[in-house]
Each structure stands twice: as structure tokens, then as C-alpha cells.
Amino acid sequence: MKRLRIIHKLRTFVALLAFGAVLAAGGGLWWANRTGLPDSWRGEIEKALAAQGLHADIAGLRYWPLQGVEADEVTVYSDSSRHRVVARVKEVMVNVDRTKLARGEVRVERLDLKGGSLVLPVDPDDPDSKALEVKNASGRVLMPGGRRLEVLNARGEVGGIRLEFEALLLGYRPRLSVKEEEVERAQLQRRQLLARVIGMLEPWKFDPASPPVIRIRVEGDLDDPRTVRADLFLKSEGLERGGIGITRLDAKGEMRGRLLVLESLDIEDGGGSLRGRMEYDLATRKGRFDARSDLELPVMLHELDAAGWLDKVSFESRPELSARGTFEWPESGPPKFQVIGHLMAQDLRFKGHRASRVESDLSWDGTSVFLDNLVLTRPDGTLRGRLLAKPELIRYDVSTDLRIDVWRGFFDNHPLGKVLVDFSDRHDTKVAARIKGRINPRDKHDWHASGEASATHMTYKGIPFRKARVTMDLDHDALDFTRGEVEFDYASYPLRKAHDGPLSGTATVDRVRFDREPSTLTLENIRGSFWPAPVLRMFLPKVADHLEEYRFHRPPELKAGGVIGLFKGAPKTLFKVTGTTPGKMSYRFAGTDLLLGGLDTTVLVKPSVTEVRDLEFEVFDGPVRGSFDVLPEEGGPRVKGEFDWTRLSLPEISTACGFEKTAKGFVTGRIDFNYRGKAAAGLNGDGLIALEEGELFSVPIFGPLSPVLSTVLANRKAGFQEAKEAFCTFAVEEGVLRTNDFLTTTPSLVFTGDAEADLNRRTLEMTIRMNARGLLGVITLPLKPFYGLFQFRGTGPMREPVWRNVMFTSPPETEKERLLAPPRARDLRTPEPR
């Protein structure tokens, strides 16, 4: 029994001793975790890590029996100098080799990170550089020895983007053959690349439950960057930014040394895709790529920081783009691209205009774009050419058959736009042009264009033409058109219809030049067979209005040239036109249509007057010469000048005036006139007129006088004696013609008179005084002191006035002398000089 008691007490003592030991161990463990394991432990673990090539400072240690040693606030350095921090970890579990620990040796076999945080400075040398903060970090690092390091199932989140990392590495103890700077530079480049990729993804919105995933697997010797190989994977579904949606993003590639190669890059946006590959040198920050895409082009341009190209361009269908090129990714800032490729797009809109198809080779360097072999197709035509667009300059060289309406919106703020707006298309219009030039988008005055153009079936300022062609050299200060040819379309021209004229007329011009300063239009060597009014209506509409009054039956042969001032205060207009026409021309004068032929004249247009000089034409079978000035005034132009005519056919005049009786003889005379308006009331002037080789009393005006003379003289033949010549001077005031020195003679009679003919009403009031001479004078002796004198008065319409014998009145002294001593008629075929 005693022995049993001793054994029982011994067991109790051992139990108490064990319990005390447990309490002491638990208390010691609690105290150690409370205050941290001794510095000697931390030092040993830091040395053990350094032995593996991992240089770190540990702020504190705690020991967990079932887990191991936990290190707090671990700072990892790039090398033993501890100058560059490569990572900061809040908590990490350190697993040591227990067998060696029992022998007093500390060797770290594994590091575990679960649910902690990790801070990775992008540039350890720059304290202000951005750091990658990895949240919810977890993973395991195995350090079996022999310069071997394995990272397993490392995961974390940066800005919501999931990172997955695995590695099998050598080289924790740098070899002497490898330059330390080269190693550090390679590591810095990889961290910077990772930071940039994450930075590009951060602005995009995505479903937090399904974030983008970046997976990296690294193998190689860290001491020799050329051996390091990293497999890279990027995957995401459902990215959105600024209304741009990407349904799938998938990239696969590898990094060998400093070269990153993406073997495949796939992007889908729900309706199209991009497929491509890329190479990038981390050291030079340069790379190259090739891709094919039918993504929405705005997606690409926004991502390439080129959204400015979309300000005036829109696509109603997905363009197809195949491209290759190079890029440079600066240390700070977005990538810069140089792209060469081919673009094809349907339903393009630019500045409100639509193109059904656009296809072009292209080159783009991020700021400038070059389009070559450009083909733009519309239902109404095609444009082909090349274009270089820079922010400060656009150059182009194109040929096109697009009609004029397409181009108006492009030149609204340029002088050329004012020219284009005057053109109008027709249903059968055709255009062909080859133009090259430049435009400065920052200065609307800095532009230039040159080339040649032709068109058919168009109108300019309402003037239709069948076809036209011209060479041009244009800029803001001058529009210079040379070697122009125009075939006018007279199908609807009233003069052609009225006289069954030709359907077209042709004109050529050496130059038409508009100069902004001093605001002039210069025309050189216009020539051809065409109606002048439509041509001048393009440049001088008021002069054209006046020329319309001269109704050419056929287009005259014209030559013209000179300078036209376009605005008030501009330099003097000096424009000369010379013309001849073998055909007829109608002109309405004093209510009568005159038919003119053989026109030959020179017209000089000046700022305040249009001068018509050396005018010659035929009318009433006789020549007419003259010169006059057209003075623009309010209420209508005023015409001032002179005419002379020789041996005009009196029968033709009788017919033109509508007289029922036809007279014989010829009329010669002259007039100085001042005419304003379109009726006879606007005529003022003075002149002289003579009858030759005629029968005066067969003239419709005097014809009714013959029976009166026969009755008064009791001689039937008295009224029908031949009066072959007559003469008078006259003055016209507001369409009323007056004369007081009318004179004609027969073998036995002298006639003088005065008259007033109203050309407005076509009425006549005339007094004729007759002096009988010879045998007839003897018979009238009882009438002295004015022996042989008789007086007659005619009134009524010019075509057939009523004549009657009236009481004699004393004539003016000048007329009395003519009655008593009549002069001999003069030959007026050549009028006296004024």
C-alpha cells in the first residue's frame, strides 16, 4: 500500500510539473507574442533570408505553435546595401527547418502570405513614384536552397484588377559575372510595364464579381535578365468606358529578357473584333504590331488618344482596318503610334456629306494621317487621290467627278466658296476635276489650290452652259483661272427662240483673275462667237441689262478684256469689248423696231460710264455711224451721243413706221441726242435731215397735201410736180421734234415750213408756205406784197395727216428769205463735221 501511495504521489507531482510547464510555456509564448520574440531570433531569421538572397528587415516576430513564426512589417530590399526597397509586407508566415533549428541553425524553407497586403514601389529610387498596392494578397514562396525560388498561387488585387503570379527562379545570390545595374534595370522595367498595364485598365468600369485578370508565370535566372522568361495572360469580360463597351479582352504572350511578345491579342465589342500581335522592348520602350479590326473606329481612336479625328467624321457601319506599325511608350504619357495599313468603310459622313464607301491605304503617326490610293464613292460620283492631314496643314491631290453640291460646305469661309455658290447643277451635270493644294486649319486665309476642271450642263449665275473647262491657281488673295473654254447653252435663251438662232455659242479666255486686294476682276483675251449679254451678266449685270436691248439674231464675233472693279471705291473699271456680226440685230427706238445689220463697234466699260465708239451698222439699206455713252443713273441709264446716216431708204422707213403709202428716195442726216428711258419721251437732241432723189409728195406725210395744192392752183399736176430734195434742221425735246426751216422746191414752187411732230403720240402739226415762181408766179401777182405765196396746215396722225389751205401768216425772216430766194440743195452724203 505504501508503495502504491508513493507511485500515486509521484504521478501527481509529474502531472503538476507538466501542468506548470505548460503554464510556463503558455505564459512565455503569450509574453513572447506580446512583446515580440527576442532580437536574436529576428536577426537569425534575417540572416537566414539573406543566405537565400532575400535581404529584409523584420519589425517583429511572433510564434504560433501550429503555424510557425509570423513576421510583421517586413521590408524587402534589392541587395545587401538596403538602399532600394522593392516590397513592403505587413504580415508573413516564416517556416524554418526544425531539425536544423534543434541544432541551433536557422534556415527558412517557406514564406506564406494569406489575406495580407503588399506594397511594390515601381521605382525604388524615386520616393514620389507611384507604388502598386496589392490587397488581399496571398501566396507561398518556397526556398528549397541551391539558388532556387518558387512562387506558388500568388494572388492579389490592384485597383480591383486581379493579379495571379507564379515563378520558378534562380539567382538569389548575384554572380560576379553579372552587372548589378543590369539586373536592377531589368527589374525596374518589368515593374514599370506592369504598372502601366494596370494604369490603362483602371479607368475602365467592370463587374467587381468578374474583374480583369492578369496572370504571370516567370522562369529563369534573375542574375541574368536574358534568361528570364515570363508567360503573360490578360483576360477580361465586360469593360466599359465613356460609352465604349468591350465584351471580351484576351491577350497571351511572353517576355524574354527585355522583350515582351504578345502572340495574340483579341478584343470584341459585341459586333466586331480586333485580332493582332505585338512586340515591345522594355529597354528602348519601342515596339511593333500588326492587327486586323472591324471594331467601332471610335473605340480605337479614343484609346489611341486621337478622338479629335472624330469631330467631323462618323461611321454608320463598322470600318475594316488592317494595320501594322511601330510604337513608342514613353516613361510618362500614353503610347505614340506609327501605323501603316488599309482602311475600308461603308456609309461614312463628313461635314454633313455622305459617302457610300471609302477605301484607302493609310499611314498615321499619332498626329498626322496620310491617305494614299484613296477612293471615295458616292451615288453621284467618285473621288480618288491622296491626302496628308496634320494639325497645322492639310495637303491633298485628288481627281473627282463629284458634282458641285458636294464641295460647297468645304469652302464656306473661303473666297472659293463664293464662286462655287454661283454654280448650279442640273440632272445631267457631269464634272471632272484634278485638284491639288493645301489648307491650314488654324488659319482660314492660308490655303492654296491648283489644277484643272471641266463640267457639262451647268449654270453659273443663272447662265446655262453645255460644257466648260478651265485651269486654276487659287488662294485666299487671288483666284486665277486660265485657258478657259465655254460652250453656252442657248436652248432657252429668248433671243435664240425669237430669231431661231443657234443652240450654242463658244467663248475662250486666256485668264479670269479675281484679286482680293484691290478687289478687281481681270479678264484677258475673251474671244468667240456668243451673245454678249449672258457673258457680261456674270460680271456686270447692269451693263448686261442694257445690252439685252440690242437683240442680236445671231451671236456676234466678240473680243474682250480688261479690269472690272467689283466694289465701290475699288480701282477704276476698264473693260473693252469689240464686236462684229454678219447677221441682223433688232433695236426698238421711238416705238419702232429697227432691223440693223453689219454691226461693228467697240465698247469701253468704265466705272461711271460705258462708252460705245466706232459704231457702224446698216439700217434701211444704208450705213449708220455713231458713238454714245451709257451713264448709269437712278431710274435707268442715260444714253448720250451722236449718229449720222447716209442715204437710208425712204421706202424701208415707210414700211418700218407702218405707213400705208410707200415713199421714194433716200434720207441723209445726223443727230446729237441725249436719251433716257425706254419710250420716245426720253429722247432729246438736235440734228439735220435731208431727202434725196425722192418724190416728196409721195411721202405719206405730204401725200395728202397734193390734192389741196391742185385745188388751190387749179392745176391737177401742181401737187404732183417732182420735189426730189428737201432739207431741215430739227430739235427734239422729250420726244417732240420741232423744225422751223423745212425747205423743198419744184421747178415752179418753193416750199418752206415749220413743224412739230410728237413721237410719243405719233401726231403731226405742220405749216407749209409755198411761193410760186416762173409762169405760176405771174398768175399770183395780185397777192403782193408776198406775191405767189400760199399757206397750208397739216394736222393729225403721222401716217396720214389732214391738210387744208389756211389764211396766210407772215413767216420768220429766215423762212421769208428762203421763200423768195430759195437756196440750192446741198449734197449730204457726207455730213458736215460738228
Side-chain angles (χ1 to χ4, degrees), residues 43-338:
E44 291 298 327
I45 291 178
E46 289 173 355
K47 290 179 182 179
L49 292 174
Q52 299 283 8
L54 187 61
H55 303 281
D57 286 341
I58 300 174
L61 290 175
R62 288 192 296 271
Y63 178 74
W64 302 103
L66 300 179
Q67 298 181 10
V69 178
E70 181 182 272
D72 296 332
E73 304 296 339
V74 179
T75 302
V76 182
Y77 301 95
S78 61
D79 55 34
S80 59
S81 66
R82 285 174 162 74
H83 292 316
R84 293 187 179 88
V85 177
V86 296
R88 288 187 173 89
V89 186
K90 190 172 184 180
E91 296 176 352
V92 63
M93 298 300 300
V94 182
N95 188 284
V96 298
D97 187 341
R98 290 185 176 85
T99 58
K100 292 188 177 182
L101 184 61
R103 297 195 297 268
E105 298 180 14
V106 177
R107 184 179 182 279
V108 178
E109 293 183 330
R110 187 178 75 233
L111 299 176
D112 289 316
L113 179 64
K114 295 182 180 180
S117 61
L118 178 64
V119 178
L120 301 174
V122 175
D123 187 354
D125 290 333
D126 185 2
D128 296 327
S129 68
K130 183 178 179 180
L132 297 176
E133 184 178 358
V134 183
K135 298 180 180 180
N136 300 321
S138 63
R140 173 167 291 180
V141 180
L142 300 179
M143 295 179 289
R147 298 179 63 244
R148 180 183 178 90
L149 173 69
E150 292 186 46
V151 181
L152 303 176
N153 299 323
R155 298 185 178 183
E157 296 178 1
V158 178
I161 300 170
R162 184 181 301 169
L163 295 179
E164 297 180 359
F165 183 78
E166 291 185 354
L168 178 59
L169 303 172
L170 296 175
Y172 259 71
R173 284 174 293 199
R175 297 174 295 179
L176 296 177
S177 62
V178 179
K179 295 183 179 180
E180 186 176 344
E181 294 81 1
E182 184 179 351
V183 177
E184 293 173 353
R185 183 168 57 252
Q187 294 173 348
L188 174 61
Q189 291 167 353
R190 288 191 289 268
R191 287 193 298 271
Q192 289 176 335
L193 176 63
L194 179 60
R196 291 183 184 182
V197 173
I198 294 174
M200 291 179 61
L201 293 174
E202 281 181 347
W204 292 80
K205 297 180 181 179
F206 49 82
D207 185 358
S210 181
V213 178
I214 298 176
R215 184 181 299 114
I216 304 174
R217 177 174 177 81
V218 181
E219 294 183 358
D221 190 342
L222 294 178
D223 291 339
D224 186 357
R226 294 170 295 182
T227 67
V228 176
R229 176 179 179 271
D231 294 326
L232 307 175
F233 304 90
L234 171 61
K235 185 175 183 180
S236 177
E237 296 181 357
L239 292 173
E240 184 177 352
R241 178 184 179 184
I244 303 172
I246 293 179
T247 59
R248 187 175 76 89
L249 172 62
D250 196 344
K252 299 178 181 179
E254 66 176 13
M255 182 183 297
R256 290 186 176 273
R258 68 182 193 182
L259 183 64
L260 169 64
V261 179
L262 288 182
E263 292 294 343
S264 67
L265 173 63
D266 296 341
I267 301 176
E268 297 179 0
D269 63 357
S273 63
L274 181 146
R275 303 283 185 269
R277 70 182 305 277
M278 180 187 73
E279 296 180 4
Y280 178 63
D281 190 323
L282 278 68
T284 62
R285 298 190 177 91
K286 295 181 180 180
R288 60 182 182 179
F289 67 92
D290 60 79
R292 297 182 64 87
S293 169
D294 61 351
L295 291 175
E296 291 282 4
L297 192 59
V299 175
M300 301 178 62
L301 293 178
H302 273 290
E303 288 310 297
L304 297 177
D305 194 28
W309 288 98
L310 300 176
D311 291 344
K312 298 176 182 178
V313 181
S314 62
F315 297 89
E316 297 187 8
S317 63
R318 295 175 176 272
E320 297 179 7
L321 175 66
S322 59
R324 67 185 187 278
T326 61
F327 66 95
E328 183 176 357
W329 203 345
E331 187 173 351
S332 59
K336 298 179 181 179
F337 287 83
Q338 290 185 337

Side-chain angles (χ1 to χ4, degrees), residues 353-502:
H353 296 282
R354 180 192 296 270
S356 55
R357 178 184 173 91
V358 176
E359 188 167 2
S360 177
D361 297 329
L362 63 87
S363 176
W364 180 54
D365 64 1
T367 58
S368 303
V369 63
F370 176 61
L371 303 180
D372 196 12
N373 298 319
L374 170 65
V375 180
L376 183 149
T377 306
R378 287 171 45 95
D380 55 351
T382 303
L383 179 143
R384 302 175 183 272
R386 55 176 56 187
L387 180 145
L388 172 63
K390 298 181 178 181
E392 72 285 355
L393 180 66
I394 298 175
R395 290 187 177 275
Y396 58 89
D397 184 351
V398 298
S399 59
T400 181
D401 58 0
L402 291 173
R403 289 160 62 160
I404 202 75
D405 278 342
V406 179
W407 303 107
R408 287 197 178 98
F410 291 91
F411 301 98
D412 288 342
N413 297 323
H414 299 290
L416 183 58
K418 297 179 181 179
V419 175
L420 295 179
V421 77
D422 291 326
F423 285 92
S424 299
D425 291 342
R426 299 188 341 191
H427 70 281
D428 54 350
T429 293
K430 293 183 179 180
V431 175
R434 174 70 184 272
I435 309 293
K436 62 180 179 180
R438 57 173 177 79
I439 299 173
N440 184 352
R442 298 175 179 176
D443 183 358
K444 67 179 182 180
H445 297 162
D446 184 10
W447 65 276
H448 178 263
S450 62
E452 57 185 19
S454 62
T456 62
H457 306 298
M458 293 185 68
T459 62
Y460 178 70
K461 290 187 176 181
I463 308 303
F465 58 86
R466 289 187 172 186
K467 60 183 179 180
R469 64 178 302 274
V470 70
T471 301
M472 63 192 77
D473 188 7
L474 318 173
D475 58 33
H476 177 73
D477 296 320
L479 307 179
D480 197 0
F481 301 91
T482 57
R483 294 185 294 173
E485 297 179 10
V486 182
E487 182 181 347
F488 295 99
D489 186 351
Y490 295 139
S492 301
Y493 189 42
L495 284 184
R496 187 207 68 82
K497 291 183 175 181
H499 304 290
D500 194 25

Side-chain angles (χ1 to χ4, degrees), residues 702-739:
F702 302 105
L705 178 61
S706 298
V708 177
L709 289 174
S710 299
T711 301
V712 171
L713 300 177
N715 184 353
R716 292 183 180 180
K717 296 184 178 180
F720 300 93
Q721 289 181 336
E722 293 183 0
K724 296 183 178 181
E725 295 179 348
F727 174 84
C728 74
T729 62
F730 62 87
V732 184
E733 183 176 355
E734 296 182 353
V736 179
L737 184 148
R738 296 180 177 87
T739 181

